[in-house]
Amino acid sequence: MHQNAIVDLRSDTVTRPTPAMRAAMSIAELGDDVFGDDPTVNRLQERAAELFGCEAALFFPSGTQSNLAALMSHCQRGDEVIVGQEAHTYRYEAGGGAVLGSIQPQPLANLPDGSLNLGEVESAIKPDDSHFARTRLLALENSIGGRVLDRAYLHAAVELAERRGLATHLDGARIFNAAVKLGIHVKDLCRGFDTVSVCLSKGLGAPAGTVLVGRRDVISRARRMRKILGGAMRQAGVIAAAGLYAIDHHVERLAEDHANAERLAQGLGRLDFEVEPPQTNMVFVKIPKEACAPLVEYLKAEGVLALAGPRMRLCTHLDVDAAGIDRAVNAFAGFLARGAVESRGVL
Ligand SMILES: *Cc1c(COP(=O)(O)O)cnc(C)c1O
């Protein structure tokens, strides 16, 4: 990493395509994907389906659209999805399932480990009665807020859904972070889910794109939903090529991001910050409310970007190496030193 390069810890979406990824994009074979004849998009979809042990896959411009198309493929108008309060599909997608799908969410509190209590999930399933919405879908997320749901939990969730006749969707925007952390294959981790949405533009480093994998009938409905939502693209192979490159070259290296998150947590811990032990590529640090804005401003002047918040989230990714992490820790230390001089007691 260049000495003066910005250390951007705001999100793992900020990565730029590497030169090798750009090269793969520039030579990608292209066609019109609305006619189904972009060979690179088709290759990405086949590769993703095979990787996840699924029948089919579909390429989307964004994870939000992929999740929404999945929800709308599983649920009819007036159906209900059981989902976590902290889930991206519930909280951070502008209520798209309700706005465009007329799908009622039944949110449940996430436990501290990110999971939903399966007893509560079962109790939330509504009886077949004209008073109630039809509970149709269980939607989980992995990793969720940097935390990993393990294989035994996911399999138990899928078993419950099957027993009670619910479909299952996994928002696996960062599923490879979870799989690398657990040291198991995504095929094994996601077994039994009807659909899984996988972001290529987070830790994997592609500039855009998400792939939805799943059962052929659901993916076929999702294709119609993608058209409705305006997500059918033409020579999309240009970006699919980046996704293919990412799947082939950037999965195993997620372990480096996890090690860098650990390095960051340790460094901040030594400075006496209250840090939650990271499981994957996200570090959460407690910052006194009044220090949030001055801290972010100070870090920025030192070439370190972070989002302000009392539970500050710092993300590691492809474009931050160990030297960058050390620079970030030094910048936090500089802020503390300055605080001691200028405004004793800010931290
Ligand atoms: C980022 C993210 C999405 C949505 O992806 P976009 O490509 O930004 O629309 C969905 N789910 C989770 C968990 C995410 O982190």
Side-chain angles (χ1 to χ4, degrees):
M1 182 167 208
H2 191 270
Q3 192 101 35
N4 298 317
I6 297 285
V7 179
D8 193 341
L9 303 175
R10 292 173 301 170
S11 174
D12 48 7
T13 55
V14 300
T15 54
R16 310 293 204 279
T18 62
M21 183 182 277
R22 282 182 188 256
M25 296 169 78
S26 73
I27 59 167
E29 269 186 274
L30 305 176
D32 187 329
D33 184 49
V34 176
F35 294 121
D37 55 36
D38 185 300
T40 308
V41 170
N42 291 339
R43 205 149 10 99
L44 171 63
Q45 291 173 167
E46 282 157 25
R47 180 97 174 76
E50 176 212 278
L51 198 56
F52 282 81
C54 291
E55 290 171 353
L58 190 63
F59 187 50
F60 284 83
S62 74
T64 299
Q65 193 178 77
S66 167
N67 276 331
L68 178 55
L71 260 59
M72 291 173 71
S73 303
H74 288 299
C75 297
Q76 300 291 318
R77 198 165 166 246
D79 285 351
E80 180 179 79
V81 54
I82 296 177
V83 63
Q85 287 276 5
E86 296 174 31
H88 204 279
T89 45
Y90 174 62
R91 191 160 182 166
Y92 301 106
E93 294 179 7
V99 176
L100 298 169
S102 300
I103 299 162
Q104 165 168 287
Q106 167 59 71
L108 298 178
N110 291 89
L111 299 178
D113 69 0
S115 69
L116 300 180
N117 177 307
L118 294 182
E120 269 182 51
V121 169
E122 186 146 22
S123 310
I125 298 171
K126 297 179 179 49
D128 182 5
D129 176 316
S130 61
H131 290 84
F132 301 127
R134 283 174 306 247
T135 310
R136 176 76 198 106
L137 176 67
L138 173 61
L140 296 176
E141 180 175 321
N142 200 19
S143 62
I144 174 161
R147 294 156 302 185
V148 172
L149 306 180
D150 67 20
R151 174 171 50 183
Y153 174 79
L154 292 177
H155 290 188
V158 163
E159 189 277 325
L160 161 64
E162 275 173 7
R163 183 159 49 76
R164 299 299 306 266
L166 303 186
T168 47
H169 173 67
L170 184 65
D171 179 355
R174 297 186 179 86
I175 193 64
F176 286 110
N177 291 88
V180 165
K181 170 68 181 186
L182 293 168
I184 61 179
H185 197 280
V186 284
K187 191 185 288 191
D188 193 4
L189 187 57
C190 302
R191 180 159 295 137
F193 278 89
D194 294 309
T195 45
V196 183
S197 177
V198 183
C199 277
L200 304 167
S201 62
K202 298 246 160 100
L204 296 190
T210 285
V211 63
L212 181 70
V213 299
R215 280 204 341 254
R216 193 180 308 286
D217 59 325
V218 189
I219 295 299
S220 155
R221 290 200 292 277
R223 183 183 301 278
R224 178 177 290 272
M225 293 307 164
R226 186 183 69 172
K227 188 68 195 174
I228 290 173
L229 297 171
M233 299 180 285
R234 302 296 177 171
Q235 285 73 43
V238 177
I239 40 178
L244 265 172
Y245 183 89
I247 285 179
D248 286 340
H249 298 92
H250 292 169
V251 171
E252 295 307 321
R253 66 151 305 285
L254 290 171
E256 292 171 37
D257 297 345
H258 301 172
N260 282 331
E262 188 58 45
R263 185 183 185 95
L264 179 59
Q266 303 250 336
L268 296 178
R270 277 195 295 276
L271 297 173
D272 274 345
F273 281 94
E274 207 178 298
V275 188
E276 298 170 28
Q279 292 184 21
T280 54
N281 68 326
M282 290 181 191
V283 178
F284 291 90
V285 199
K286 202 166 163 191
I287 307 292
K289 213 163 156 218
E290 60 281 9
C292 290
L295 171 61
V296 164
E297 203 177 318
Y298 181 87
L299 293 176
K300 190 172 180 188
E302 297 293 311
V304 176
L305 302 186
L307 295 175
R311 183 169 173 261
M312 180 182 261
R313 184 191 83 166
L314 302 166
C315 285
T316 60
H317 51 73
L318 192 56
D319 287 357
V320 181
D321 60 11
I325 294 299
D326 294 346
R327 272 185 49 208
V329 172
N330 285 336
F332 275 85
F335 178 75
L336 288 186
R338 190 194 71 148
V341 176
E342 287 177 13
S343 54
R344 191 167 282 282
V346 163
L347 266 185

